[in-house]
Amino acid sequence: MSGGGSLERERRQAYLLVAPAVLVLAGVALYPILAAVWLSLHRFILVFGERRFTGLDNYAFLLSDARFWAALGNTAYFTLVAVTVEVLLAVPLALLLNRAFPGRGLLRASVLVPWAIPTVVSARLWAWMFNPEYGVINRLLPGSDINWLGAPGYALHAAILVDVWKTTPFVALLVLAGLQGIPEDLYKAARVDGASAWRAFRSITLPLLKPALLLALLFRSLDAFRVFDAIYVLTEGGPANTTETLSIYAYKTLMRSGDFGYGSALSVATFLCVVVLAAVWMRLLGREEGAR
Amino acid sequence: MNRPGLGTALAVVAFLTFFLGPFFWQVLTSLWPDGELTRPWPSVLTLENYTSVLWGRPFLRVVANSLLVAALTTVFCLTMGAAAAFALAKLEFRGRGLLLSAALAVSMFPPIATVSPLYLILRAAGLRDSLIGLALPYATFALPLTLWVLTSFFRQLPDELYRAARVDGCTPFQAFRRVLLPLAAPGLATTAILVFIFAWNEFLYALTFLSTPEKRTVPVAISLFASEYREPWGEIAAASVVATLPLVVLTVLFQRRIVSGLTAGAVKE
């Protein structure tokens, strides 16, 4: 077998091995996203079945649609607050998980429990805890009769709490992986130099943790931006649309109103927001890579 | 630095309460007698919520549906994903980086973005409202996950193994099937657990593509678990415990693997 022929054969087999995965990805992701863009250029109500090309009409309507802007605002607020709180909680949790203490294994396993529970189930559980009359939260807060999920201003924050509960462990694990990559020697040297624990954290841990943190922020913000399950179960976007996110609005337009044209435009808009968000993060991450 | 102090103990208790407290509350609610939910504390614990959920509703059917969809997705993605991940990790060909980036990009898609075309495709193919049809769009998020986690596992296997097999006369495919695939078994198991959990928990596609109540998956059934006049909180809690206890056990048992899989999939090399 000649070397050249062998390489040729290797390449051929490589293409054969990746072909099924590529075809499936094209079929379930690439084609649908292009088709969604195409659908968004039509007036298309599912029950009528009639599909008429209307160009950018749906997008013109979208730009003047106050409900769209409100949903975008809710989504951005949800993402910003949830992800910030998650990182602020995850860093101390990861520092804790990185220490040696009795029961560390138990803590590591238990923080993953909320991650493993289906979001729908955890949302149902929290809805029960938020129940204004019998919920455990109002019982624990003496004299409180807050209607957590029914009052504008409270509901979105309640949804953020559910997201924080569920995904902080995941962020903590990414941070922990970053922590474990920091050489212990650096801390020893810092101690020899007489640096305080806080000083060591600021000068060693945080800078070296930055790539892991940026990565966690990237994954979590893209994930939070497409939030659907928790909010659908907790409030369906209410009260008075104050918890309606882009995914919820698009879902209602598609599946409740059967408006596949405008619903697709909303879906594509959500997709574009995620692309922009991802591009910004990638740039930041790339700059971080370049700096090292 | 390693001496656990009072601060550590307090932090551990605080985090455990926050992360496990709600789960325990759910278990307690599931054992709470139906008429007593208005009281601050149950007078007795009972299994009546479990009997009414498991035998009074088609819930076992729903659990079977979820098992089927999650198992199908796992087998489907692992079969295709293992072959592709091996090629991505060990073979030279053009477009490797592009394929991995594309998989990463797909995993960042908001699922709502593909709902309308997938709905029309599944309807045209006669696969709407079918559990087998549901497993197909699940590849949107499960296949990228499989590719990333498995590629990083295959990369950890020494290149010499592959080269030795080639020198012994194996084709690349034979080297994959006979030598590297068996060695990647732990990676396959980790990936299978992750994909299974993701598929078991998926909600949006299941809500959109399934319409018959008997075909619902667990998350959809639990989300629609309401009666006309009041929320059956005890029954919801019982159903939730049934649906999540296997996952909780799986997570606690395979905690190390899940963590290594999640970080392998998330942290780029």
Side-chain angles (χ1 to χ4, degrees), chain A residues 20-128:
Chain A
V22 171
L23 285 177
V24 170
L25 276 185
V28 296
L30 184 66
Y31 174 76
I33 202 76
L34 295 175
V37 174
W38 180 239
L39 282 173
S40 74
L41 304 175
H42 291 78
R43 179 167 164 74
F44 179 19
I45 312 288
L46 198 61
V47 282
F48 302 154
E50 181 209 345
R51 211 156 116 181
R52 189 159 48 83
F53 186 83
T54 52
L56 293 173
D57 279 10
N58 283 324
Y59 291 96
F61 180 75
L62 182 143
L63 291 176
S64 64
D65 180 6
R67 194 170 159 190
F68 163 75
W69 291 107
L72 178 62
N74 291 336
T75 314
Y77 184 80
F78 177 90
T79 305
L80 185 74
V81 178
V83 176
T84 309
V85 175
E86 279 155 25
V87 171
L88 289 179
L89 272 178
V91 171
L93 178 57
L95 288 169
L96 188 64
L97 289 173
N98 200 29
R99 307 183 84 179
F101 59 88
R104 180 172 72 164
L106 177 74
L107 183 61
R108 271 196 203 190
S110 15
V111 298
L112 268 181
V113 167
W115 172 85
I117 295 179
T119 313
V120 168
V121 170
S122 53
R124 272 300 196 160
L125 158 64
W126 281 88
W128 164 234

Side-chain angles (χ1 to χ4, degrees), chain B:
Chain B
M1 189 170 176
N2 288 332
R3 187 167 38 89
L6 186 64
T8 306
L10 284 177
V12 170
V13 170
F15 278 121
L16 276 181
T17 312
F18 181 57
F19 288 119
L20 287 188
F23 181 66
F24 280 126
W25 191 249
Q26 180 158 60
V27 175
L28 184 63
T29 304
S30 74
L31 299 169
W32 203 303
D34 190 43
E36 291 188 9
L37 277 171
T38 53
R39 296 169 44 157
W41 208 250
S43 62
V44 285
L45 298 179
T46 160
L47 289 173
E48 66 181 32
N49 289 319
Y50 286 89
T51 47
S52 64
V53 155
L54 294 177
W55 285 277
R57 293 174 180 265
F59 193 68
L60 286 175
R61 175 72 191 266
V62 163
V63 170
N65 290 343
S66 271
L67 273 175
L68 176 69
V69 175
L72 267 177
T73 309
T74 309
V75 171
F76 182 61
C77 288
L78 248 59
T79 317
M80 269 178 310
F86 157 73
L88 284 167
K90 296 291 179 212
L91 302 184
E92 287 289 338
F93 64 98
R94 283 164 56 119
R96 276 203 305 187
L98 183 70
L99 182 51
L100 271 178
S101 317
L104 188 64
V106 168
S107 72
M108 292 171 179
F109 273 28
I112 190 74
T114 53
V115 155
S116 52
L118 285 174
Y119 182 93
L120 297 176
I121 295 169
L122 289 175
R123 195 176 67 161
L127 286 173
R128 205 182 68 76
D129 204 20
S130 122
L131 293 166
I132 294 169
L134 186 61
L136 201 67
Y138 277 16
T140 321
F141 55 87
L143 193 54
L145 177 81
T146 311
L147 287 179
W148 272 86
V149 179
L150 273 183
T151 303
S152 92
F153 270 101
F154 274 116
R155 278 208 183 116
Q156 286 163 19
L157 299 176
D159 280 343
E160 287 76 26
L161 283 170
Y162 170 68
R163 273 193 233 114
R166 292 279 280 139
V167 169
D168 288 348
C170 284
T171 65
F173 182 73
Q174 286 167 335
F176 160 63
R177 211 173 48 94
R178 296 200 190 143
V179 181
L180 288 153
L181 192 61
L183 290 170
L188 291 173
T190 303
T191 316
I193 295 171
L194 288 175
V195 170
F196 190 90
I197 291 180
F198 274 90
W200 180 274
N201 293 354
E202 202 284 334
F203 179 59
L204 175 60
Y205 287 159
L207 180 71
T208 313
F209 302 144
L210 303 173
S211 46
T212 325
E214 295 80 53
K215 294 213 172 125
R216 283 173 188 155
T217 58
V218 167
V220 178
I222 287 180
S223 82
L224 298 172
F225 229 123
S227 61
E228 199 81 34
Y229 301 104
R230 56 179 190 95
E231 298 258 21
W233 293 109
E235 285 187 50
I236 293 172
S240 300
V241 171
V242 173
T244 54
L245 212 54
L247 295 198
V248 169
V249 172
L250 205 67
T251 310
V252 172
L253 282 181
F254 295 104
Q255 178 243 130
R256 267 170 202 289
R257 292 206 156 181
I258 290 175
V259 171
S260 72
L262 279 177
T263 42
V267 183
K268 56 195 173 49
E269 77 287 13

